[in-house]
Amino acid sequence: MTTRRRLLKASAAAAAALGFPAIVRAQSDKIKIGHLTPLTGFLGALGEYAVMGLKIAIDEINKGGGVMGRQLDVMSEDSVNPATAATKAQRMLDQDRVALLMGEINSASAKTIMQVAAREKRLFLQVGARSDVLRGADCNRYTFHVDIPVTVMVNAEGQALLRDGLIKGKKIFCLTSDYLFGHDLAKAAKAFIAANGGSVIGDELTATDVADFSPYLLKIRQAKPDMVATNLGGNQVTNFVKQYAEFGLPYAVAGFNLNTADAWAAGEGNLSGVWPTVWHHEIDTPGSKAFVAEFRKRYGKPPENHAWIEYVSLHILARAINETKSTDTEKLIAFFEKQPQFDLLKPRKGYFRSWDHQMMQEAYTFTVKPKGQAKDKWDTLQFGPAVPAANQPLELLATTKEQNTCKM
Amino acid sequence: MQSLFLLEQVVNGLVLGGYYLLIALGLSLIFSVGGVVNLAHGAFYALGAYLSLEIARFVGFGPAVVLSPVAVALLGILFERFILRRFYAADPILSLLVTFGLALVAEQAIRMIWGAAPLPATMPQALKGNVMAGDFLFSRYRLLLLAIVAAILAGIWLLLNRTSFGRVVRAGIQRPDMVAALGIRLQPYMTAIVMLGVGLAALGGALFAPIVIVHPAMGAEIITVAFVVVVIGGLGSFWGVVLAALLVGVVRGVTIHFAPAAGEASMYVLMFLVLMFRPRGLLGERIEKFE
């Protein structure tokens, strides 16, 4: 008997070690999560904020006893570019044995990681990339998207521009970042402008590494538009608004994308116009206030939207694992598709829409405070009320089933 | 009207060329005299920008633009004496590696000190806005920049061509062995050239901080352009670098006028074409020690 039992034990151990390494590792006491985000390049500054916010969430969760009683072990790396992002995602799954993937800001890198997730049938919580196609034509059932998509940004921003009389009957000149996100943003922006009686009189592509916008500024002056609308990504917007102020052109400026970190970097008197955002540090909820206070205490400055979104995303993931008592991708997908409500530190809770896996949530617009009203260098922006308004449905600004080509 | 717009782009390109020149000139000088391609040149540019912002908090924009390059030039003494000097006679691959490594270290150091998030930088209100000359629009600030670059260019030309310092440096470029045979140590001259070169890069950083984004990777972005300008202009040629900087500015402007998406690629196409027909660059001289 003893020998037979011993033989069984030994062969089971051998089988486990050889055939089912994932199961063996899953029994280890930590839950491993792979996190990728750009830490260099034109989105690197946003990635740094993302990691800062993520660290606060990791510490909170682990100090609170972890998830299912196990500590979270989040390995975070620079995604560099779309090709490297995919390679690293694959390596994290194969060699580092992470249970799940999360992260990203760059839409092109998010797209390649999504392909890895679909191939490996593993959950990817796509945190910060905003291209419509990711939750549209290129969507897959293994990916859930937290940040607002391009269409929501355009609709939120567009409502503010309509209110200010800058669209109807106006000539609009677009500047578009020459990569996936920029093209996507331009497409949605042009559709909005056309639908609301404006005309696009120019649309110029700019490489993501353009440092000098002067030739574009000359073309804008030649075109004499009523408004310049930017579809730029990352720190490009900062470069553009600095040089726009330098050249002193008289036309109104607005844009369909600007992250708070890049707005803060514009410098006094350089930024003007209306811009959209997904969250800001002055939102008056207990959750946001506590997060902002903790962030300020740790890093000596307020968080920006990418810090916030990583923070809430890890909490969303932790809750999903806790409630399903599993890191199994299929169980997590089923949990999210039941559309549970998540606290996003905003007045209204959000949920992943089951058919395109997009988080439904409030958005905001902001303008720049008049000169002399800012208390410090972080206090230069004036945030507007949430859109949609409290009495409107959350899905108001999102793509409809007719518009969205997502098939899972 | 179309040709007038094009002319406006050409003129704007010349102004932009002045901006490139400030960085490329120092890179070219250090290469010509020391035979070292200083890939850390961009780091001094970034440092110039960051230091100018720190100094400006205490003494304002104007003095900061002067003090920051001086501080970086002093740092250049250490850079030359303790690092570059060991590699003049060595295999060029070693100096490439060491300056490339230094560029990475410097970028990460900036990230650790000032953070990855870009810093706000702005110019005095009086310098903002445009100047119209006929139907041409110019940024007031860039015209000021152009005047500064022209003054510096004149100063360096006089230094190289009308002083005994310049004679030794020029002789050192062509025949360092002869200079040594005449009993002149080239090393102090090399220190001065490196101080001048990295100081110019820092001046570029301080002057451009109000108009481009100030972030840790700004050095890596500018070194590529500066390197392309030096290669197109030809090694060891003062006027070659000037010509190439202006040409790159104009070609980029004209390309953006016709095909905006190709704007950033245009300078590499230009480099390719120039090297096909003139492997030494536009005005490159035959320098024995590099053959």
Side-chain angles (χ1 to χ4, degrees):
Chain A
M1 272 313 267
T2 43
T3 36
R4 205 174 129 200
R5 193 178 292 156
R6 207 185 289 157
L7 185 71
L8 274 174
K9 263 189 188 167
S11 52
L18 290 171
F20 314 106
I23 296 173
V24 174
R25 298 295 183 97
Q27 295 305 321
S28 76
D29 54 339
K30 284 188 174 176
I31 296 175
K32 277 185 128 181
I33 295 173
H35 177 258
L36 288 162
T37 206
L39 294 174
T40 47
F42 74 112
L43 298 167
L46 304 178
E48 188 189 60
Y49 273 102
V51 172
M52 287 171 164
L54 184 68
K55 279 186 181 152
I56 295 182
I58 297 170
D59 290 351
E60 277 183 11
I61 292 167
N62 283 345
K63 272 191 198 133
V67 180
M68 298 188 293
R70 287 154 65 187
Q71 297 282 293
L72 284 185
D73 177 10
V74 184
M75 62 180 308
S76 185
E77 289 186 22
D78 184 0
S79 55
V80 188
N81 59 43
T84 310
T87 312
K88 286 192 172 186
Q90 188 76 50
R91 193 211 68 219
M92 282 176 166
L93 291 174
D94 293 347
Q95 290 176 26
D96 304 311
R97 305 278 172 198
V98 301
L100 313 157
L101 295 168
M102 69 179 289
E104 260 324 317
I105 294 172
N106 185 321
S107 292
S109 300
K111 184 175 166 169
T112 59
I113 298 175
M114 282 174 67
Q115 289 163 352
V116 173
R119 194 166 59 228
E120 300 295 328
K121 301 193 176 2
R122 211 69 79 78
L123 187 82
F124 172 37
L125 189 62
Q126 196 285 94
V127 178
R130 294 173 170 177
S131 241
D132 271 341
V133 294
L134 302 178
R135 51 280 264 179
D138 292 337
C139 76
N140 69 49
R141 66 183 292 267
Y142 298 96
T143 310
F144 288 79
H145 308 270
V146 188
D147 211 339
I148 47 173
V150 157
T151 295
V152 171
M153 295 160 74
V154 167
N155 286 339
E157 169 74 12
Q159 294 305 327
L161 294 175
L162 277 178
R163 181 196 65 208
D164 297 346
L166 286 165
I167 301 245
K168 199 171 165 48
K170 300 292 182 188
K171 292 179 292 182
I172 296 161
F173 194 100
C174 293
L175 270 184
T176 298
S177 185
D178 197 2
Y179 80 114
L180 180 64
F181 169 76
H183 288 259
D184 226 26
L185 196 55
K187 198 173 135 204
K190 284 179 189 169
F192 185 91
I193 292 166
N196 289 283
S199 57
V200 176
I201 58 166
D203 181 19
E204 305 270 313
L205 289 175
T206 68
T208 55
D209 58 347
V210 167
D212 167 66
F213 279 93
S214 62
Y216 296 98
L217 295 173
L218 295 181
K219 291 183 89 169
I220 289 171
R221 189 184 75 101
Q222 289 156 9
K224 298 191 173 43
D226 295 309
M227 181 177 78
V228 182
T230 65
N231 306 307
L232 301 173
N235 65 29
Q236 284 190 301
V237 194
T238 316
N239 260 343
F240 174 76
V241 297
K242 278 173 109 171
Q243 290 167 33
Y244 196 81
E246 179 208 348
F247 274 74
L249 295 182
Y251 323 111
V253 178
F256 294 99
N257 172 52
L258 178 60
N259 293 287
T260 359
D262 297 314
W264 285 326
E268 198 186 348
N270 287 338
L271 190 66
S272 62
V274 186
W275 307 83
T277 189
V278 61
W279 177 86
H280 61 81
H281 62 287
E282 291 175 8
I283 288 179
D284 193 15
T285 61
S288 273
K289 282 183 165 166
F291 171 61
V292 172
E294 174 62 24
F295 195 97
R296 276 186 184 269
K297 200 177 102 195
R298 264 197 211 202
Y299 305 112
K301 59 183 177 183
E304 72 100 64
N305 46 290
H306 283 285
W308 158 82
I309 203 162
E310 295 283 344
Y311 174 84
V312 294
S313 293
L314 192 66
H315 275 290
I316 287 171
L317 204 53
R319 190 183 136 195
I321 296 172
N322 261 331
E323 294 202 9
T324 57
K325 298 199 173 18
S326 166
T327 55
D328 179 62
T329 292
E330 289 301 327
K331 284 185 183 157
L332 292 170
I333 292 175
F335 173 76
F336 286 135
E337 286 188 343
K338 278 185 287 183
Q339 302 199 347
Q341 300 271 320
F342 291 104
D343 180 11
L344 304 173
L345 319 185
K346 300 190 203 184
R348 291 167 83 175
K349 291 188 171 182
Y351 58 92
F352 288 109
R353 199 157 62 170
S354 60
W355 57 271
D356 67 352
H357 290 183
Q358 171 61 45
M359 177 68 78
M360 294 293 127
Q361 59 185 310
E362 293 159 299
Y364 301 85
T365 56
F366 63 91
T367 53
V368 181
K369 282 189 181 169
K371 203 175 160 73
Q373 287 195 10
K375 290 195 288 283
D376 57 34
K377 63 178 173 173
W378 311 113
D379 189 37
T380 52
L381 309 175
Q382 181 72 51
F383 297 96
V387 282
N391 56 354
Q392 293 174 317
L394 263 190
E395 299 195 20
L396 187 72
L397 304 179
T399 49
T400 59
K401 235 173 183 162
E402 289 73 48
Q403 291 165 339
N404 192 331
T405 51
C406 171
K407 294 270 181 303
M408 289 191 191
Chain B
M1 210 54 190
Q2 194 61 30
S3 57
L4 199 64
F5 287 158
L6 192 58
L7 193 60
E8 190 180 22
Q9 289 287 12
V10 170
V11 176
N12 182 63
L14 292 174
V15 178
L16 185 67
Y19 162 123
Y20 294 147
L21 185 55
L22 214 43
I23 319 298
L25 201 56
L27 189 66
S28 170
L29 276 174
I30 293 172
F31 185 92
S32 302
V33 183
V36 170
V37 177
N38 178 22
L39 290 179
H41 209 62
F44 293 101
Y45 162 82
L47 203 57
Y50 274 93
L51 283 182
S52 78
L53 295 187
E54 290 295 334
I55 297 171
R57 299 211 312 228
F58 301 104
V59 294
F61 178 76
V65 167
V66 178
L67 291 176
S68 162
V70 171
V72 173
L74 293 176
L75 197 65
I77 300 179
L78 300 179
F79 172 58
E80 199 276 336
R81 294 208 65 157
F82 295 107
I83 299 176
L84 270 196
R85 187 171 285 184
R86 296 163 194 276
F87 297 96
Y88 295 144
D91 187 340
I93 196 78
L94 291 178
S95 60
L96 275 179
L97 280 174
V98 81
T99 55
F100 181 63
L102 199 67
L104 295 179
V105 169
E107 184 178 326
Q108 196 56 33
I110 288 174
R111 198 168 274 132
M112 286 164 75
I113 296 170
W114 284 285
L119 295 191
T122 188
M123 64 181 84
Q125 200 61 33
L127 297 177
K128 279 185 193 168
N130 55 56
V131 178
M132 296 294 295
D135 199 38
F136 285 11
L137 178 96
F138 293 101
S139 138
R140 183 175 298 157
Y141 186 75
R142 285 188 201 205
L143 286 185
L144 178 71
L145 265 181
L146 195 64
I148 294 173
V149 172
I152 285 171
L153 206 58
I156 292 178
W157 189 85
L158 289 174
L159 181 71
L160 288 179
N161 291 284
R162 292 284 182 273
T163 63
S164 58
F165 173 85
R167 272 193 295 278
V168 176
V169 169
R170 280 183 298 132
I173 293 175
Q174 285 296 346
R175 299 300 298 267
D177 46 345
M178 279 303 289
V179 176
L182 290 169
I184 299 170
R185 278 179 70 232
L186 259 178
Q187 280 179 350
Y189 290 88
M190 198 54 217
T191 310
I193 286 292
V194 171
M195 283 177 72
L196 181 66
V198 300
L200 283 178
L203 178 66
L207 284 172
F208 305 156
I211 55 177
V212 300
I213 188 159
V214 178
H215 67 142
M218 65 189 294
E221 287 163 6
I222 201 77
I223 185 75
T224 325
V225 183
F227 187 64
V228 167
V229 166
V230 171
V231 170
I232 291 176
L235 299 170
S237 168
F238 179 80
W239 293 112
V241 178
V242 177
L243 186 65
L246 299 180
L247 199 60
V248 166
V250 170
V251 166
R252 181 174 174 272
V254 171
T255 309
I256 288 176
H257 186 77
F258 290 109
E264 303 311 298
S266 63
M267 67 180 96
Y268 304 105
V269 176
L270 180 68
M271 178 171 79
F272 174 75
L273 290 176
V274 166
L275 290 183
M276 276 220 334
F277 296 105
R278 293 190 67 88
R280 272 193 209 115
L282 289 175
L283 300 177
E285 294 167 22
R286 187 187 150 80
I287 299 175
E288 252 175 59
K289 65 184 176 193
F290 300 144
E291 296 290 324

